[in-house]
Amino acid sequence: MYGLPLGIALWFLFFFVMIPNSKASSREGDAVDVLNQLRKEEEERNQTKVDTAKQGFLNTSVAEDLRIINLGRGFHSLETNPKEAVKFLTESQTSKAPDDPLRIVIQYYLGQAYLKSGQIAQAAKIAEDLVLEKNVQDSFEKLALTLAIEANFELKDFKKVIELFGSYTKKFSFSRKQEALAQLTIQALEKKGEFEKSLDLAEELARGYPTTPESRWAFYHLLDLSCKDGQKQKKPAYYFSRRFLLYLAKNAIIHNGISEFITNIIDMPIRHNDLKVRVMTEDEKADFLYRARFYREALAKTRELYDIEKHKPQGSLMGSYLFDLGRIHLRMFEPMMATMYFSKFIADYPKSGSLPLVYENMADALRYSNAPKESGEFYRRSLEKKENSLIRWQNFWSLYRSKQYPQALDLLERYGKSLFRQGDDAVTAEYWHGRILENLGKHAEAASIYRRILDESGESFYANLVVTRKPQLIRSTPGTLQVEGTSRSPGGMALAAKLMSGQLTEPLDLDATKDLGPNYKMIADLLKAGLKDVASVQLNSLNWGKINHEEAFAAVSRLSYYLRDYLPSRKIRYIGFSPLRSIPDRWEDFVSHQSRYNNDWKVYYPYAYHQYVAPISQKIKVSPFLVLSVMRAESFYRREARSGVGAEGLMQLMPYTAMKIATLIGDQDFNILHLDRPEVNISYGAYYLDRLLRYYGGNPFLAVAAYNGGPHAVNHWLDSCKGCSVDEFVESISYRETRRYVREVMKNYINYKRIYTDEKYLVKLPEMPSQLPDGEEIF
């Protein structure tokens, strides 16, 4: 096996950042102060739960209450005193009836207690019984398989571990909480001599490097295997695969050492997609670096290849390298350099079959250079060679941006809805039709189109733009509301609204839910025992179709309130009695609907995590409704949310962003594994949002775009859209996801303000900044 230079490995220093003692400013100091206060309150709340359980045991003799209390005491003792947990959980097993809803829960935690106290055989037996149990919910089957894998690993039954892990991965998606199972299974596979399978699983686990302990273990395990002589270990030689290195490259922004490692490793033999082990050719290295988004390195390698090709008699690859150089500069947001290479390609290869693609990229480069008229010409040339709906739209938008309104109108009238990009809808075309007519001085015709948007798409982002820009089009009286749903009762939704909007803080009687049936009672019992995660799983598995009256919905809301689970907010539009099942199209009726059924709308747009959002927003001085709007778009209030690219929690923070925030605010207690905690995630997300707002002069459209797409991208979009109004900037955003995200968040923001305040619409659209803070690096 080749020897990996130690210098490469030394790039991979310990992952957790050292947080400086000093704080950058009072705003940063306020951010860490409020976070530390919330952490302290959380610790106090958790201790109160334990003390309450102990006191409850002393104050009751009711068997059922004692059972629930012992379950809670056992659960809270698992980590600190597992032998005591065994005692409590054994005592809570007063019923073994098959239909006992708590039986499975108690069995699982008793198995955990046995495992943690060293009684492995008992733990394995319980796990086996749970795995074989019929009619067990998926959530408990998942827990049972987890317990079984852990117990059998301790028993050194590696064959069983591999078998159980196979069952787990066939049925359940992989998540951070289960990465430890993969680590055990890798070791079990190696013990059984199944090295190829162990390496494949290790690479899958190491893709997350360096964000979790398990991914770090897997990476260093692979690194160790690649540095040793496989024959001496009686293991096959290990070579990093091209596919794995591309995955790992995505995390380079988290840890600078990753890019150094990868750029060194590609000079050595690696496994390719055809499973052959060899060193990449120079062309393959250039392509790999481009795909890995290491654009500086890709540029250097491609220039080197271009210079070599220039001195060859034929130089058959010159055109390909010219195009690649232009494409790399374009991805680096260096449009002037890109246009230079694309221009040379067009001049030197006028009959090339690649011209449509070169024209398209040339047009993109000119667009980024804020030259819309010239970019439109190259989009038109590309379309002459090959029809493409996205290029057609860019051609239209270049005509609009360069104020060629008659030509833009002609395209719009010829192609209609089909002109617009994927993800856009008819109202997008309508709005820009109106803007073109307005710019041509045809105000009456434009007003007619705007009014049609208000009549037919009153909930849309574009309707909100219309009423902000043209408030004179608002009609003074709403129409007649036609609302589906049953008659309204006085208390049910009012109570649900108070809970979901954070207006109710006093304890509620959870026993009131027992009349709804055993499933509701089980959730309440689990809550009393302190098992929130299990209770939340049960809440999600309820048959929501049977919740057919307001009092039942209010009871479920009570449970959700204690669980910090905003599931009712996701379900309310699908509940039979809810007036939100049918929302008016007309803007005035829509606004009236939000006023008339304000309680329902407060459930749908909850003041989620009020106990965190309110103090954080007040201290950091950012609108709580903007924070909630981002949270809604990012995770829909699910604290366990995790994106495919590794964004974490309620505000979907990337680990590298969180690390930078921790450094900026001087958070001494920062731990990347705590990003799923609401107090940490919301504090960091709100601080980042406020920092972006300050950087962009208080413009929420730009701040929200940067929150999703990154400030560097937004700054380049600003450069390419000089003189644009806010609505024009949003339409010019290159990333489809970011463009849709801004529309969604700003619509959320306006709805939140309308529901919780008297503000019916944005008074005016914010100004675009004439310049950004000089010399300030935002992130």
Side-chain angles (χ1 to χ4, degrees), residues 339 342-343 346 357-367 378:
T339 56
F342 293 139
S343 296
I346 293 166
L357 185 59
V358 177
Y359 286 153
E360 179 187 349
N361 280 269
M362 180 69 163
D364 287 342
L366 289 165
R367 174 163 56 89
F378 277 97

Side-chain angles (χ1 to χ4, degrees), residues 181-193:
L181 302 182
Q183 183 176 339
L184 297 180
T185 307
I186 291 164
Q187 296 172 75
L189 286 164
E190 289 184 350
K191 294 288 186 182
K192 297 296 292 181

Side-chain angles (χ1 to χ4, degrees), residues 561-666:
Y561 172 76
Y562 279 108
L563 289 170
R564 297 176 188 164
D565 188 322
Y566 292 87
L567 190 62
S569 301
R570 303 200 294 275
K571 296 289 187 179
I572 189 169
R573 287 194 71 166
Y574 311 103
I575 299 296
F577 65 82
S578 172
L580 272 63
R581 283 171 62 90
S582 178
I583 294 176
D585 294 326
R586 190 167 176 263
W587 185 84
E588 290 85 355
D589 291 345
F590 177 70
V591 172
S592 179
H593 191 279
Q594 289 186 322
S595 175
R596 180 174 176 182
Y597 300 106
N598 193 249
N599 286 332
D600 301 80
W601 279 97
K602 282 182 175 176
V603 173
Y604 189 41
Y605 278 84
Y607 198 134
Y609 298 93
H610 182 273
Q611 67 272 45
Y612 306 120
V613 173
I616 290 168
S617 300
Q618 184 177 12
K619 194 76 171 178
I620 296 177
K621 298 178 179 61
V622 61
S623 167
F625 301 123
L626 189 57
V627 173
L628 290 164
S629 299
V630 169
M631 188 190 299
R632 183 183 181 89
E634 291 285 359
S635 67
F636 213 104
Y637 323 109
R638 291 180 295 113
R639 63 184 182 276
E640 74 282 0
R642 189 188 188 200
S643 76
V645 296
E648 295 276 353
L650 293 162
M651 304 290 284
Q652 288 290 278
L653 289 166
M654 291 297 290
Y656 67 85
T657 304
M659 290 169 64
K660 289 183 178 181
I661 293 171
T663 303
L664 284 167
I665 68 177

Side-chain angles (χ1 to χ4, degrees), residues 494 497-506 561 602 607 610 756:
K498 284 183 178 180
L499 290 165
M500 293 298 165
S501 61
Q503 297 172 12
L504 198 61
T505 57
E506 65 268 19
Y561 172 76
K602 282 182 175 176
Y607 198 134
H610 182 273
Y756 285 89

Side-chain angles (χ1 to χ4, degrees), residues 346-523:
I346 293 166
D348 292 352
Y349 304 97
K351 297 183 179 180
S352 170
S354 299
L355 274 180
L357 185 59
V358 177
Y359 286 153
E360 179 187 349
N361 280 269
M362 180 69 163
D364 287 342
L366 289 165
R367 174 163 56 89
Y368 282 133
S369 302
N370 198 35
K373 185 174 182 178
E374 293 79 3
S375 71
E377 175 59 23
F378 277 97
Y379 285 128
R380 185 191 62 76
R381 289 192 198 179
S382 181
L383 286 167
E384 287 177 351
K385 304 286 185 179
K386 183 180 179 181
E387 178 62 35
N388 180 289
S389 59
L390 179 58
I391 299 173
R392 178 71 65 192
W393 185 89
Q394 292 289 11
N395 183 33
F396 160 78
W397 191 244
S398 296
L399 292 171
Y400 175 90
R401 283 283 329 284
S402 57
K403 296 182 171 51
Q404 298 180 72
Y405 299 125
Q407 295 91 326
L409 185 61
D410 178 63
L411 270 183
L412 187 60
E413 290 176 343
R414 269 197 288 150
Y415 289 94
K417 299 174 188 176
S418 64
L419 177 66
F420 283 78
R421 295 169 288 191
Q422 184 181 1
D424 290 341
D425 51 25
V427 69
T428 309
E430 287 278 270
Y431 180 79
W432 291 107
H433 191 178
R435 290 285 269 125
I436 291 170
L437 291 171
E438 187 181 344
N439 289 324
L440 288 170
K442 300 179 179 181
H443 298 289
E445 292 178 53
S448 176
I449 288 176
Y450 292 149
R451 186 58 245 179
R452 186 161 62 243
I453 291 172
L454 294 182
D455 285 341
E456 298 174 1
S457 307
E459 190 186 1
S460 70
F461 169 78
Y462 292 98
N464 285 303
L465 288 179
V466 168
V467 295
T468 298
R469 294 185 63 252
K470 305 289 180 181
Q472 67 271 22
L473 295 178
I474 299 172
R475 289 173 180 160
S476 57
T477 56
T480 303
L481 287 180
Q482 298 293 331
V483 179
E484 296 179 4
T486 60
S487 59
R488 315 296 292 167
S489 61
M493 290 310 298
L495 177 58
K498 284 183 178 180
L499 290 165
M500 293 298 165
S501 61
Q503 297 172 12
L504 198 61
T505 57
E506 65 268 19
L508 294 171
D509 181 14
L510 287 176
D511 287 333
T513 58
K514 66 184 179 183
D515 295 334
L516 294 172
N519 291 330
Y520 297 88
K521 182 181 183 301
M522 182 183 181
I523 297 170

Side-chain angles (χ1 to χ4, degrees), residues 197 218 276 434 525 678 707 779:
K197 289 182 180 178
K276 292 181 179 178
D525 287 343
Y707 193 97
F779 260 82

